[in-house]
Coordinates of all heavy atoms in Angstrom, one line a residue:
M1 N -64.8 -120.5 -48.2 CA -65.1 -120.3 -46.8 C -63.7 -120.1 -46.1 O -62.8 -120.9 -46.4 CB -65.8 -121.5 -46.2 CG -66.1 -121.5 -44.8 SD -67.0 -122.8 -44.1 CE -68.6 -122.2 -44.2
N2 N -63.7 -119.2 -45.2 CA -62.5 -118.9 -44.5 C -62.1 -120.1 -43.6 O -63.0 -120.7 -43.0 CB -62.8 -117.7 -43.6 CG -61.6 -117.1 -42.9 OD1 -60.6 -117.8 -42.8 ND2 -61.6 -115.9 -42.5
K3 N -60.8 -120.4 -43.5 CA -60.4 -121.5 -42.8 C -60.7 -121.5 -41.3 O -61.1 -122.4 -40.7 CB -58.8 -121.7 -42.9 CG -58.3 -123.0 -42.3 CD -56.9 -123.2 -42.7 CE -56.4 -124.4 -42.0 NZ -55.9 -125.5 -42.9
S4 N -60.6 -120.3 -40.7 CA -60.9 -120.1 -39.2 C -62.4 -120.3 -39.0 O -62.8 -121.0 -38.0 CB -60.5 -118.8 -38.7 OG -61.2 -117.7 -39.3
I5 N -63.2 -119.9 -39.9 CA -64.7 -120.1 -39.7 C -65.0 -121.6 -39.9 O -65.8 -122.1 -39.2 CB -65.5 -119.2 -40.7 CG1 -65.3 -117.8 -40.4 CG2 -66.9 -119.6 -40.8 CD1 -65.9 -116.8 -41.4
L6 N -64.3 -122.2 -40.9 CA -64.5 -123.7 -41.1 C -64.2 -124.5 -39.8 O -64.9 -125.4 -39.4 CB -63.7 -124.1 -42.3 CG -63.8 -125.6 -42.6 CD1 -65.2 -126.0 -42.9 CD2 -62.9 -126.0 -43.7
E7 N -63.1 -124.1 -39.2 CA -62.6 -124.8 -38.0 C -63.7 -124.6 -36.8 O -63.9 -125.5 -36.1 CB -61.3 -124.3 -37.5 CG -60.1 -124.8 -38.4 CD -60.0 -126.3 -38.3 OE1 -60.1 -126.9 -37.2 OE2 -59.7 -126.9 -39.4
K8 N -64.2 -123.4 -36.7 CA -65.2 -123.1 -35.7 C -66.5 -124.0 -35.9 O -67.0 -124.5 -35.0 CB -65.6 -121.6 -35.7 CG -66.7 -121.2 -34.7 CD -67.1 -119.8 -34.9 CE -68.4 -119.5 -34.4 NZ -69.5 -120.0 -35.1
V9 N -66.9 -124.0 -37.2 CA -68.1 -124.8 -37.5 C -67.8 -126.3 -37.2 O -68.7 -127.0 -36.7 CB -68.5 -124.6 -39.0 CG1 -69.6 -125.6 -39.4 CG2 -69.0 -123.2 -39.2
C10 N -66.6 -126.8 -37.6 CA -66.3 -128.2 -37.4 C -66.3 -128.5 -35.9 O -66.8 -129.6 -35.4 CB -64.9 -128.5 -38.0 SG -65.0 -128.6 -39.8
Q11 N -65.8 -127.6 -35.0 CA -65.8 -127.8 -33.6 C -67.2 -127.9 -33.1 O -67.5 -128.7 -32.2 CB -65.0 -126.7 -32.9 CG -63.5 -126.8 -33.1 CD -62.9 -128.1 -32.8 OE1 -63.2 -128.7 -31.8 NE2 -62.0 -128.6 -33.7
D12 N -68.1 -127.1 -33.6 CA -69.5 -127.1 -33.2 C -70.1 -128.4 -33.6 O -70.9 -129.1 -32.8 CB -70.3 -126.0 -33.8 CG -70.0 -124.6 -33.2 OD1 -69.4 -124.6 -32.1 OD2 -70.3 -123.6 -33.8
V13 N -69.8 -128.9 -34.8 CA -70.4 -130.2 -35.3 C -69.9 -131.3 -34.5 O -70.6 -132.2 -34.1 CB -70.1 -130.3 -36.8 CG1 -70.4 -131.7 -37.3 CG2 -70.8 -129.3 -37.6
Y14 N -68.6 -131.3 -34.2 CA -68.0 -132.4 -33.4 C -68.6 -132.5 -32.0 O -68.7 -133.6 -31.4 CB -66.5 -132.3 -33.3 CG -65.7 -132.3 -34.6 CD1 -64.5 -131.7 -34.8 CD2 -66.2 -133.0 -35.7 CE1 -63.8 -131.7 -35.9 CE2 -65.5 -133.1 -36.9 CZ -64.3 -132.4 -37.0 OH -63.6 -132.5 -38.2
R15 N -68.9 -131.4 -31.4 CA -69.5 -131.3 -30.1 C -70.9 -131.9 -30.1 O -71.3 -132.7 -29.2 CB -69.5 -129.9 -29.6 CG -69.9 -129.8 -28.1 CD -69.8 -128.4 -27.6 NE -68.6 -127.6 -28.0 CZ -68.6 -126.6 -28.8 NH1 -69.7 -126.1 -29.3 NH2 -67.5 -126.0 -29.2
R16 N -71.7 -131.6 -31.2 CA -73.1 -132.1 -31.3 C -73.2 -133.5 -31.8 O -74.1 -134.2 -31.5 CB -73.9 -131.1 -32.2 CG -74.1 -129.8 -31.5 CD -74.9 -128.8 -32.4 NE -76.2 -129.4 -32.9 CZ -76.9 -128.9 -33.8 NH1 -76.5 -127.9 -34.5 NH2 -78.0 -129.5 -34.2
F17 N -72.3 -133.9 -32.7 CA -72.3 -135.2 -33.3 C -70.9 -135.9 -33.1 O -70.1 -135.8 -34.1 CB -72.6 -135.1 -34.8 CG -73.9 -134.4 -35.1 CD1 -74.0 -133.1 -35.3 CD2 -75.1 -135.2 -35.1 CE1 -75.2 -132.5 -35.6 CE2 -76.3 -134.6 -35.3 CZ -76.4 -133.2 -35.6
P18 N -70.7 -136.5 -32.0 CA -69.3 -137.1 -31.8 C -69.0 -138.2 -32.7 O -67.8 -138.5 -32.9 CB -69.4 -137.6 -30.3 CG -70.8 -137.4 -29.9 CD -71.5 -136.6 -30.8
V19 N -70.0 -138.8 -33.4 CA -69.7 -139.9 -34.3 C -68.8 -139.4 -35.5 O -68.1 -140.3 -36.1 CB -71.0 -140.6 -34.8 CG1 -71.8 -139.7 -35.7 CG2 -70.7 -141.9 -35.4
V20 N -68.8 -138.2 -35.9 CA -68.0 -137.7 -37.0 C -66.8 -136.9 -36.5 O -66.1 -136.3 -37.3 CB -68.9 -136.8 -37.9 CG1 -70.0 -137.5 -38.6 CG2 -69.4 -135.5 -37.2
K21 N -66.5 -137.0 -35.2 CA -65.3 -136.3 -34.7 C -64.0 -136.8 -35.4 O -63.8 -138.0 -35.6 CB -65.2 -136.5 -33.2 CG -64.1 -135.7 -32.6 CD -64.2 -135.7 -31.1 CE -63.1 -134.7 -30.6 NZ -63.3 -134.5 -29.2
G22 N -63.3 -135.9 -35.9 CA -62.0 -136.2 -36.6 C -62.2 -136.3 -38.1 O -61.2 -136.4 -38.8
C23 N -63.4 -136.4 -38.6 CA -63.7 -136.5 -40.0 C -63.6 -135.1 -40.6 O -64.1 -134.1 -40.1 CB -65.1 -137.0 -40.3 SG -65.3 -138.7 -39.8
H24 N -62.9 -134.9 -41.8 CA -62.8 -133.7 -42.5 C -64.0 -133.6 -43.5 O -64.2 -134.5 -44.2 CB -61.5 -133.5 -43.1 CG -60.4 -133.5 -42.2 ND1 -60.1 -132.5 -41.3 CD2 -59.5 -134.5 -41.9 CE1 -59.0 -132.8 -40.6 NE2 -58.7 -134.0 -40.9
P25 N -64.7 -132.5 -43.5 CA -65.8 -132.3 -44.4 C -65.4 -132.0 -45.8 O -64.4 -131.5 -46.1 CB -66.6 -131.2 -43.8 CG -65.6 -130.3 -43.2 CD -64.5 -131.3 -42.7
K26 N -66.3 -132.4 -46.8 CA -66.2 -131.9 -48.1 C -67.1 -130.7 -48.2 O -68.2 -130.7 -47.8 CB -66.8 -133.0 -49.1 CG -66.0 -134.2 -49.1 CD -66.6 -135.2 -50.1 CE -65.8 -136.5 -50.1 NZ -66.4 -137.5 -50.9
V27 N -66.5 -129.6 -48.6 CA -67.1 -128.3 -48.6 C -67.5 -127.9 -50.1 O -66.7 -128.0 -51.0 CB -66.2 -127.2 -48.0 CG1 -66.9 -125.8 -48.0 CG2 -65.8 -127.6 -46.6
S28 N -68.8 -127.5 -50.3 CA -69.2 -127.0 -51.6 C -70.1 -125.8 -51.3 O -70.8 -125.7 -50.3 CB -69.9 -128.1 -52.3 OG -71.1 -128.5 -51.6
K29 N -70.0 -124.9 -52.3 CA -70.8 -123.6 -52.2 C -72.2 -123.9 -52.8 O -72.3 -124.4 -53.9 CB -70.1 -122.5 -52.9 CG -70.7 -121.2 -52.7 CD -69.8 -120.1 -53.2 CE -70.4 -118.8 -52.8 NZ -69.4 -117.7 -52.9
Q30 N -73.2 -123.5 -52.0 CA -74.6 -123.7 -52.5 C -75.2 -122.5 -53.1 O -75.8 -122.5 -54.2 CB -75.5 -124.1 -51.3 CG -75.5 -125.6 -51.0 CD -76.6 -126.0 -50.1 OE1 -77.0 -125.2 -49.3 NE2 -77.1 -127.2 -50.3
A31 N -75.0 -121.3 -52.5 CA -75.5 -120.1 -52.9 C -74.5 -119.0 -52.6 O -73.4 -119.3 -52.3 CB -76.9 -119.7 -52.3
E32 N -74.9 -117.7 -52.8 CA -73.9 -116.7 -52.6 C -73.3 -116.7 -51.2 O -72.1 -116.5 -51.0 CB -74.6 -115.3 -52.8 CG -74.7 -114.9 -54.2 CD -75.3 -113.5 -54.4 OE1 -75.0 -112.7 -53.5 OE2 -76.0 -113.3 -55.4
D33 N -74.1 -117.0 -50.2 CA -73.6 -116.9 -48.8 C -73.9 -118.2 -48.0 O -73.9 -118.2 -46.8 CB -74.3 -115.7 -48.1 CG -75.8 -115.9 -48.0 OD1 -76.4 -116.7 -48.8 OD2 -76.4 -115.2 -47.2
R34 N -74.1 -119.3 -48.7 CA -74.3 -120.6 -48.0 C -73.3 -121.6 -48.5 O -73.0 -121.7 -49.7 CB -75.7 -121.1 -48.3 CG -76.7 -120.2 -47.6 CD -78.1 -120.9 -47.6 NE -79.0 -120.1 -46.9 CZ -80.3 -120.4 -46.7 NH1 -80.7 -121.6 -47.1 NH2 -81.1 -119.6 -46.0
Y35 N -72.9 -122.5 -47.6 CA -72.0 -123.6 -47.9 C -72.6 -124.9 -47.4 O -73.3 -124.9 -46.4 CB -70.6 -123.4 -47.2 CG -69.9 -122.2 -47.9 CD1 -70.0 -120.9 -47.4 CD2 -69.0 -122.5 -48.9 CE1 -69.3 -119.9 -48.0 CE2 -68.3 -121.5 -49.5 CZ -68.4 -120.2 -49.0 OH -67.7 -119.2 -49.6
L36 N -72.3 -126.0 -48.1 CA -72.7 -127.3 -47.6 C -71.5 -128.1 -47.2 O -70.5 -128.2 -48.0 CB -73.4 -128.0 -48.8 CG -73.7 -129.5 -48.5 CD1 -74.8 -129.7 -47.4 CD2 -74.2 -130.2 -49.8
L37 N -71.5 -128.6 -46.0 CA -70.4 -129.4 -45.5 C -70.9 -130.8 -45.3 O -72.0 -131.0 -44.7 CB -69.9 -128.9 -44.1 CG -69.0 -127.7 -44.1 CD1 -69.7 -126.4 -44.6 CD2 -68.5 -127.5 -42.7
V38 N -70.2 -131.8 -45.9 CA -70.7 -133.2 -45.8 C -69.6 -134.0 -45.0 O -68.4 -134.1 -45.5 CB -70.9 -133.8 -47.2 CG1 -71.3 -135.3 -47.1 CG2 -71.9 -133.0 -48.0
F39 N -70.0 -134.5 -43.9 CA -69.1 -135.3 -43.1 C -69.5 -136.8 -43.3 O -70.7 -137.1 -43.4 CB -69.3 -135.0 -41.6 CG -68.9 -133.6 -41.2 CD1 -69.7 -132.6 -41.3 CD2 -67.6 -133.4 -40.7 CE1 -69.4 -131.3 -40.9 CE2 -67.2 -132.1 -40.3 CZ -68.1 -131.1 -40.4
S40 N -68.6 -137.7 -43.4 CA -68.9 -139.1 -43.6 C -68.1 -139.9 -42.6 O -66.9 -139.7 -42.4 CB -68.5 -139.5 -45.0 OG -68.7 -140.8 -45.3
S41 N -68.7 -140.9 -42.0 CA -68.0 -141.8 -41.1 C -68.6 -143.2 -41.3 O -69.7 -143.4 -41.7 CB -68.2 -141.4 -39.7 OG -69.5 -141.6 -39.2
A42 N -67.8 -144.2 -40.9 CA -68.3 -145.6 -40.9 C -68.1 -146.2 -39.5 O -67.0 -146.1 -38.9 CB -67.5 -146.4 -41.9
E43 N -69.1 -146.8 -39.0 CA -69.1 -147.4 -37.7 C -69.4 -148.9 -37.9 O -70.0 -149.3 -38.8 CB -70.1 -146.8 -36.8 CG -69.8 -145.4 -36.4 CD -68.7 -145.2 -35.5 OE1 -68.5 -146.0 -34.5 OE2 -67.9 -144.3 -35.7
K44 N -69.0 -149.7 -36.9 CA -69.3 -151.2 -36.9 C -70.5 -151.4 -36.0 O -70.5 -150.9 -34.9 CB -68.1 -152.0 -36.4 CG -66.9 -151.9 -37.3 CD -67.0 -153.0 -38.3 CE -65.7 -153.0 -39.2 NZ -65.8 -154.0 -40.2
S45 N -71.4 -152.2 -36.4 CA -72.5 -152.6 -35.6 C -72.1 -153.7 -34.7 O -71.0 -154.4 -34.9 CB -73.7 -153.0 -36.4 OG -73.5 -154.2 -37.1
P46 N -72.9 -154.1 -33.7 CA -72.5 -155.2 -32.8 C -72.3 -156.5 -33.5 O -71.5 -157.4 -33.1 CB -73.7 -155.3 -31.8 CG -74.2 -153.9 -31.8 CD -74.1 -153.4 -33.2
D47 N -73.0 -156.7 -34.6 CA -72.8 -158.0 -35.4 C -71.7 -157.9 -36.4 O -71.6 -158.8 -37.2 CB -74.2 -158.4 -36.0 CG -74.7 -157.4 -37.0 OD1 -74.1 -156.3 -37.2 OD2 -75.7 -157.8 -37.7
G48 N -71.0 -156.8 -36.5 CA -69.8 -156.7 -37.4 C -70.1 -156.0 -38.7 O -69.2 -155.8 -39.5
Q49 N -71.3 -155.6 -39.0 CA -71.6 -155.0 -40.2 C -71.1 -153.5 -40.2 O -71.1 -152.9 -39.1 CB -73.1 -155.0 -40.5 CG -73.7 -156.3 -40.7 CD -73.3 -156.9 -42.0 OE1 -73.1 -156.2 -43.0 NE2 -73.2 -158.2 -42.1
S50 N -70.7 -153.0 -41.3 CA -70.3 -151.6 -41.4 C -71.5 -150.7 -41.7 O -72.3 -151.0 -42.6 CB -69.2 -151.5 -42.5 OG -68.8 -150.1 -42.6
I51 N -71.6 -149.6 -40.9 CA -72.7 -148.7 -41.1 C -72.1 -147.4 -41.5 O -71.4 -146.7 -40.8 CB -73.5 -148.5 -39.8 CG1 -74.1 -149.8 -39.4 CG2 -74.6 -147.5 -40.0 CD1 -74.8 -149.8 -38.0
Q52 N -72.5 -146.9 -42.7 CA -72.0 -145.6 -43.3 C -73.0 -144.5 -42.9 O -74.2 -144.7 -43.0 CB -72.0 -145.7 -44.8 CG -71.4 -144.5 -45.5 CD -69.9 -144.4 -45.4 OE1 -69.2 -145.3 -45.1 NE2 -69.4 -143.2 -45.6
Q53 N -72.5 -143.5 -42.3 CA -73.3 -142.4 -41.8 C -72.8 -141.1 -42.5 O -71.6 -140.8 -42.6 CB -73.2 -142.2 -40.3 CG -73.8 -143.3 -39.6 CD -73.8 -143.2 -38.1 OE1 -72.8 -142.6 -37.6 NE2 -74.8 -143.7 -37.4
M54 N -73.8 -140.3 -43.0 CA -73.5 -139.0 -43.7 C -74.1 -137.9 -42.9 O -75.3 -138.0 -42.5 CB -74.0 -139.0 -45.1 CG -73.5 -140.1 -46.0 SD -71.9 -139.8 -46.6 CE -72.2 -138.6 -47.8
L55 N -73.4 -136.9 -42.6 CA -74.0 -135.7 -41.9 C -73.8 -134.5 -42.8 O -72.7 -134.2 -43.3 CB -73.2 -135.4 -40.6 CG -73.6 -134.2 -39.8 CD1 -75.0 -134.3 -39.3 CD2 -72.6 -133.9 -38.7
R56 N -74.9 -133.9 -43.2 CA -74.9 -132.7 -44.0 C -75.2 -131.5 -43.2 O -76.2 -131.5 -42.4 CB -76.0 -132.8 -45.1 CG -75.8 -134.0 -46.1 CD -77.0 -134.2 -47.0 NE -77.5 -133.0 -47.6 CZ -77.2 -132.6 -48.8 NH1 -76.3 -133.4 -49.6 NH2 -77.7 -131.5 -49.4
V57 N -74.4 -130.4 -43.3 CA -74.5 -129.2 -42.5 C -74.5 -128.0 -43.5 O -73.6 -127.9 -44.3 CB -73.4 -129.1 -41.5 CG1 -73.5 -127.8 -40.7 CG2 -73.3 -130.3 -40.6
V58 N -75.6 -127.2 -43.5 CA -75.7 -126.0 -44.3 C -75.3 -124.9 -43.4 O -75.9 -124.7 -42.3 CB -77.1 -125.8 -44.9 CG1 -77.2 -124.5 -45.6 CG2 -77.5 -127.0 -45.7
T59 N -74.3 -124.1 -43.8 CA -73.9 -122.9 -43.0 C -73.9 -121.6 -43.8 O -73.9 -121.7 -45.0 CB -72.4 -123.1 -42.5 OG1 -71.6 -123.2 -43.6 CG2 -72.3 -124.4 -41.7
A60 N -74.0 -120.6 -43.0 CA -73.9 -119.2 -43.7 C -72.4 -118.9 -43.8 O -71.6 -119.6 -43.2 CB -74.6 -118.2 -42.8
E61 N -72.1 -117.9 -44.5 CA -70.7 -117.5 -44.8 C -70.0 -117.1 -43.5 O -68.8 -117.3 -43.4 CB -70.6 -116.4 -45.8 CG -69.3 -116.2 -46.4 CD -69.3 -115.4 -47.6 OE1 -70.3 -114.7 -47.9 OE2 -68.2 -115.3 -48.3
D62 N -70.8 -116.6 -42.5 CA -70.2 -116.2 -41.2 C -70.0 -117.3 -40.2 O -69.6 -117.1 -39.1 CB -71.0 -115.1 -40.6 CG -72.4 -115.5 -40.3 OD1 -72.8 -116.6 -40.6 OD2 -73.2 -114.7 -39.7
G63 N -70.4 -118.6 -40.6 CA -70.2 -119.7 -39.8 C -71.4 -120.2 -39.0 O -71.4 -121.1 -38.2
R64 N -72.5 -119.5 -39.1 CA -73.7 -119.8 -38.5 C -74.3 -121.1 -39.1 O -74.5 -121.1 -40.3 CB -74.7 -118.6 -38.6 CG -75.9 -118.7 -37.8 CD -76.7 -117.4 -37.8 NE -76.6 -116.7 -39.1 CZ -77.4 -116.8 -40.1 NH1 -78.4 -117.6 -40.1 NH2 -77.2 -116.1 -41.2
I65 N -74.7 -122.1 -38.3 CA -75.3 -123.3 -38.8 C -76.7 -123.1 -39.0 O -77.5 -122.7 -38.1 CB -75.0 -124.5 -37.8 CG1 -73.5 -124.8 -37.7 CG2 -75.8 -125.7 -38.2 CD1 -73.2 -125.8 -36.7
I66 N -77.2 -123.3 -40.2 CA -78.6 -123.1 -40.6 C -79.4 -124.4 -40.5 O -80.5 -124.4 -40.0 CB -78.7 -122.6 -42.1 CG1 -78.0 -121.2 -42.1 CG2 -80.1 -122.5 -42.5 CD1 -77.8 -120.7 -43.5
K67 N -78.8 -125.5 -40.9 CA -79.5 -126.8 -41.0 C -78.6 -127.9 -40.9 O -77.5 -127.9 -41.4 CB -80.3 -126.8 -42.3 CG -81.2 -128.1 -42.5 CD -81.9 -128.0 -43.8 CE -82.7 -129.3 -44.1 NZ -83.3 -129.2 -45.3
T68 N -79.0 -129.0 -40.2 CA -78.2 -130.2 -40.2 C -79.1 -131.4 -40.4 O -80.3 -131.4 -40.1 CB -77.5 -130.5 -38.8 OG1 -78.5 -130.5 -37.8 CG2 -76.5 -129.4 -38.5
S69 N -78.6 -132.4 -41.1 CA -79.4 -133.7 -41.3 C -78.4 -134.8 -41.4 O -77.3 -134.7 -41.9 CB -80.2 -133.6 -42.5 OG -79.4 -133.5 -43.7
M70 N -78.8 -136.0 -40.8 CA -77.9 -137.1 -40.8 C -78.7 -138.3 -41.3 O -79.9 -138.5 -41.0 CB -77.5 -137.4 -39.3 CG -76.5 -138.5 -39.2 SD -76.0 -138.6 -37.5 CE -74.3 -138.9 -37.8
S71 N -78.0 -139.1 -42.1 CA -78.6 -140.3 -42.7 C -77.8 -141.5 -42.1 O -76.7 -141.4 -41.6 CB -78.4 -140.4 -44.2 OG -77.1 -140.4 -44.5
R72 N -78.5 -142.6 -42.1 CA -77.9 -143.9 -41.5 C -78.1 -145.0 -42.5 O -79.0 -145.0 -43.2 CB -78.5 -144.3 -40.2 CG -78.3 -143.3 -39.1 CD -78.9 -143.8 -37.9 NE -78.9 -142.7 -37.0 CZ -78.9 -142.8 -35.7 NH1 -78.8 -144.0 -35.2 NH2 -78.9 -141.8 -34.9

């Protein structure tokens, strides 16, 4: 994936999901023209427990976001 396209996708993701802002994704190729970006962050709950959150973003090669899903 082109670095400028990756930066554009990351900015879109940070705008929609501020919890992963500043996290760098792990990028893997899924198909000929699709990539999977996995963002991971850890937040503290009010009682002090650590909550791991994963955000998966499937993008086209041109930077168009196809699908997003988040786990908690």
Side-chain angles (χ1 to χ4, degrees):
M1 177 178 267
N2 189 341
K3 186 172 176 118
S4 64
I5 293 174
L6 178 62
E7 287 296 321
K8 178 187 158 286
V9 171
C10 287
Q11 292 304 317
D12 290 343
V13 169
Y14 297 153
R15 192 174 316 114
R16 290 178 58 194
F17 301 95
V19 72
V20 296
K21 188 169 186 168
C23 297
H24 297 286
K26 293 181 184 176
V27 180
S28 59
K29 191 168 185 163
Q30 276 194 325
E32 281 186 30
D33 60 344
R34 290 191 180 185
Y35 290 89
L36 173 66
L37 282 64
V38 179
F39 296 85
S40 178
S41 71
E43 295 287 321
K44 293 275 185 180
S45 68
D47 63 351
Q49 294 290 327
S50 179
I51 300 172
Q52 183 75 17
Q53 294 180 325
M54 303 282 286
L55 175 67
R56 294 171 50 96
V57 180
V58 178
T59 64
E61 195 166 11
D62 62 356
R64 189 172 31 93
I65 295 176
I66 298 170
K67 181 179 175 181
T68 60
S69 66
M70 184 173 223
S71 67
R72 294 183 194 206

